[in-house]
């Protein structure tokens, strides 16, 4: 995918119109790797509608709402095994929808899926409450095009590299960026996804898929227990808390995996993506983020010995049963050229 950083320096044409007795207009200072990013003036002019901010606030407040509800609901009664099994199953289904489908498949083209699998993965990822498939892909491609420098939608270095700037940036990269009006145009970053009628249909169905993501545990909980109480506990544990946990794991890859961890592979200038092993299991291998930024189209992110990458395992299985093709598996000599000296 060819997304290039357009220079913001003044054009030769604009410079030639400058009066000779005045100094030429100065473009933005080039980024030095430590300063706060300059303000995005077009985003400042573009205010987010209050209903959109309210919707985002509801989604972000999920863990706290869910936890409060869970405590009230389960006071004096235990969580049933059905709730936890259902929570694990839906966490895996929607999580792999994001990691294998949205991320490695659709955003980076690490493999080519058959059409039914492409649609199924887009549906599964949409049920994670992380935005519709078109917006997700566009935002993430922009993150790769401008990693950790001005233009990155969620860099923890947005406010500079002082202690206060990094703490502010951590909150911004984790969740604060969702509340900014800094939108990413899909026509520029995801024209291939926009041109796909299947993915446009899944994108339009996003609100319905969010409802389904909660209705499913409610209905299954009722079916298994035969009681409304069982339906409600399944809704809380396999619905709300499962959504909240996966959201925070994904957001942690944006925030923590650019701040804490090891950097065994070289990345582009300013890009500070890290490998963070404690998140490897819960993130299905996405926290091997340093390798991913070093070689974005590689289907396996955990390339070294002992690096568990369940998304890559699933991709391998789907390849074996003929559901996906043209997988970009890691190549030893390619990796060697990317390792830090
Ligand atoms: Zn990243
Ligand atoms: Zn990526």
């Amino acid at each position: 995918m060819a997304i290039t950083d357009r220079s913001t320096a003044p054009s030769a044409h604009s410079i030639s119109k400058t009066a000779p007795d005045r100094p030429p207009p100065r473009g933005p200072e080039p980024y030095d790797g430590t300063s706060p990013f300059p303000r995005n003036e077009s985003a400042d002019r573009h205010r987010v509608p209050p209903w959109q901010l309210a919707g985002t606030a509801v989604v972000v407040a999920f863990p706290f709402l869910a936890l409060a509800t869970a405590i009230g609901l389960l006071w004096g009664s235990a969580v049933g095994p059905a709730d936890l099994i259902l929570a694990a199953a839906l966490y895996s289904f929607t999580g792999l929808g994001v990691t294998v489908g949205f991320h490695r498949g659709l955003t980076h083209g690490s493999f080519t899926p058959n059409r039914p699998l492409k649609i199924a993965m887009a549906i599964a990822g949409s049920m994670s409450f992380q935005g519709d498939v078109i917006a997700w892909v566009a935002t993430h491609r922009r993150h790769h095009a401008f990693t950790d420098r001005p233009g990155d939608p969620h860099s923890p270095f947005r406010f500079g590299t002082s202690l206060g700037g990094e703490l502010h940036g951590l909150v911004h990269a984790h969740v604060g960026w969702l509340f900014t009006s800094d939108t990413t145009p899909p026509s520029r970053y995801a024209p291939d996804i926009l041109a796909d009628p299947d993915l446009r249909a899944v994108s339009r169905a996003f609100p319905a898929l969010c409802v389904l993501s909660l209705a499913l545990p409610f209905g299954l909980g009722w079916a298994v227990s035969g009681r409304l109480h069982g339906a409600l506990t399944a809704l809380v544990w396999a619905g709300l808390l499962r959504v909240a946990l996966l959201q925070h794991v994904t957001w942690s890859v944006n925030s923590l995996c650019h701040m804490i961890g090891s950097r065994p592979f070289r990345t582009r200038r300013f890009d500070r993506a890290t490998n963070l092993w404690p998140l490897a299991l819960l993130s299905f291998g996405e926290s091997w983020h340093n390798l991913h930024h070093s070689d974005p189209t590689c289907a396996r992110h955990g390339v070294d010995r002992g690096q568990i990458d369940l998304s890559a395992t699933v991709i391998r299985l789907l390849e074996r049963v003929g559901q996906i093709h043209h997988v970009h598996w890691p190549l030893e000599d390619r990796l060697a050229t990317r390792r830090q000296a």
Side-chain angles (χ1 to χ4, degrees):
M1 180 195 52
I3 293 175
T4 52
D5 177 6
R6 285 191 195 149
S7 168
T8 49
S11 67
H13 175 69
S14 68
I15 290 172
S16 70
K17 285 164 74 178
T18 309
D21 55 339
R22 272 190 280 148
R26 292 179 53 176
E29 294 292 334
Y31 180 57
D32 61 5
T34 58
S35 306
F37 297 176
R39 290 183 74 87
N40 181 338
E41 283 167 18
S42 79
D44 286 349
R45 279 197 300 274
H46 220 101
R47 296 200 80 78
V48 184
W51 59 265
Q52 198 178 324
L53 280 178
T56 308
V58 168
V59 168
V60 171
F62 251 164
F64 308 104
L65 292 174
L67 204 60
T69 315
I71 291 167
L73 201 66
L74 301 174
W75 196 253
S77 71
V79 184
D83 298 324
L84 296 184
I85 291 167
L86 208 49
L90 284 173
Y91 183 91
S92 303
F93 179 69
T94 56
L96 290 166
V98 170
T99 64
V100 176
F102 277 19
H103 189 207
R104 302 191 195 191
L106 296 173
T107 301
H108 293 294
S110 302
F111 58 84
T112 308
N114 285 349
R115 183 171 173 239
L117 182 70
K118 174 193 72 179
I119 297 169
M121 291 191 308
I123 288 173
S126 302
M127 288 170 67
S128 68
F129 281 73
Q130 291 183 21
D132 74 277
V133 59
I134 295 172
W136 201 104
V137 169
T139 305
H140 190 70
R141 285 181 181 168
R142 189 171 145 220
H143 166 61
H144 277 270
F146 295 95
T147 309
D148 293 332
R149 60 196 170 100
D152 186 338
H154 46 62
S155 172
F157 305 102
R158 166 80 181 76
F159 300 101
T161 53
S162 65
L163 178 64
E166 288 200 3
L167 287 174
H168 190 181
L170 188 66
V171 176
H172 167 77
H174 193 74
V175 70
W177 67 279
L178 292 165
F179 294 90
T180 65
S181 44
D182 185 13
T183 50
T184 302
S187 55
R188 182 170 164 198
Y189 289 95
D192 52 327
I193 311 292
L194 269 178
D196 186 320
D198 296 328
L199 297 175
R200 281 205 309 274
V202 176
S203 171
R204 279 195 302 275
F206 175 63
L209 292 170
C210 288
V211 173
L212 177 67
S213 188
L214 298 180
L216 209 57
F218 182 86
L220 288 171
W222 198 323
V224 170
S225 70
R227 294 164 55 209
L228 178 62
H229 182 264
L232 289 173
T233 57
L235 173 65
V236 169
W237 292 98
L240 300 174
L241 286 172
R242 175 263 306 173
V243 166
L245 178 64
L246 182 62
Q247 280 180 333
H248 282 274
V249 168
T250 305
W251 295 340
S252 295
V253 174
N254 294 341
S255 57
L256 298 178
C257 292
H258 280 260
M259 291 192 104
I260 312 166
S262 61
R263 294 183 34 78
F265 294 96
R266 279 200 299 272
T267 52
R268 289 189 313 169
R269 196 170 176 219
F270 304 126
D271 181 329
R272 303 180 201 205
T274 62
N275 283 349
L276 188 60
W277 66 265
L279 278 176
L281 262 185
L282 273 180
S283 72
F284 299 123
E286 297 283 279
S287 72
W288 306 116
H289 204 53
N290 170 247
L291 178 280
H292 173 54
H293 272 261
S294 182
D295 190 3
T297 58
C298 184
R300 174 179 287 283
H301 295 183
V303 293
D304 284 333
R305 184 186 290 271
Q307 294 186 341
I308 297 170
D309 184 344
L310 291 174
S311 299
T313 307
V314 169
I315 292 170
R316 175 73 82 193
L317 287 173
L318 291 168
E319 184 185 36
R320 290 240 169 95
V321 296
Q323 288 301 304
I324 61 175
H325 315 274
H326 306 110
V327 183
H328 295 250
W329 289 116
L331 301 169
E332 217 28 79
D333 49 348
R334 193 175 152 100
L335 292 178
T337 63
R338 287 166 160 74
R339 282 194 196 276
Q340 301 273 21

